Amino acid sequence: MKTGIWLLVGILAAAGCAGGKARRVSAPAASPLAKALIRTARSYLPEEDSKHPVPKDCSDFVGKVFLAHEVALPRSSEAMAIEGEEVGSSRDLRMADLVFFSGAKGGRKIGHVAIYVNNGIFIHQANSGEGVRQESMYSDYWRKRYLKGRRIVD
C-alpha cells in the first residue's frame, strides 16, 4: 500500500514538473520571398544610396516593393487591408507581413500601411516626399495606432 501511495505521489509530482506555462512556439523561418521583399524594401532607405525615386505615399511604396517580386496589390492601404490572411495578434507577425495603422487622428479607420521587418520593426514611407524609413511598432505613436496585420506571402 505504501509503495502504491509513493508511486502515485511520484507520478503527480512528475506531472506537476512538466506543467506550468505553455511555451510559445517560435514562428517558422522566413521564406526566401519574404527575405527578398525586405531586401527590396531596405533598398529604398536613404542610407542605401537608393536609386529608387521617392514613393508618392505609403501604399505606393508597399505596392512597388511587392510588385518587384511579381505580387500585385491594390493601390490604397484600405484595399490592401483585405488582401491575404489576417494575422491574429501583433505577436504573430512575420517578416514581410503588412501592418496597418490608423491615421494621425487615431480611430479605427486605416490610414497607413507598412511592411513588417522583424522584432517590432517595420519599414514605410512616412510622409509624402520624406523618404522611406524604419521604425519601431513599440514607440508611443505607432503602438497607439496599430490596427492589424495581413499575411500576403508565406
Side-chain angles (χ1 to χ4, degrees), residues 40-125:
T40 300
R42 285 182 169 153
S43 74
Y44 279 83
L45 292 168
E47 57 266 27
E48 297 297 323
D49 197 24
S50 177
K51 303 287 188 258
H52 301 289
V54 175
K56 295 175 190 150
D57 57 26
C58 61
S59 55
D60 183 42
F61 167 66
V62 170
K64 285 179 177 178
V65 168
F66 276 75
L67 193 56
H69 298 278
E70 301 178 357
V71 178
L73 291 172
R75 176 61 183 93
S76 73
S77 56
E78 285 181 322
M80 287 179 187
I82 59 173
E83 294 289 313
E85 297 176 28
E86 186 153 2
V87 177
S89 164
S90 62
R91 287 171 281 179
D92 298 324
L93 289 167
R94 293 188 208 157
M95 187 178 285
D97 284 348
L98 298 185
V99 286
F100 296 90
F101 302 90
S102 61
K105 295 179 182 178
R108 300 292 305 160
K109 185 173 188 249
I110 290 172
H112 192 65
V113 62
I115 303 169
Y116 187 75
V117 176
N118 208 359
N119 296 322
I121 303 298
F122 65 93
I123 188 167
H124 66 130
Q125 167 75 32

Side-chain angles (χ1 to χ4, degrees), residues 1-11:
M1 181 74 175
K2 284 187 179 183
T3 305
I5 291 175
W6 285 114
L7 181 61
L8 180 61
V9 169
I11 290 170

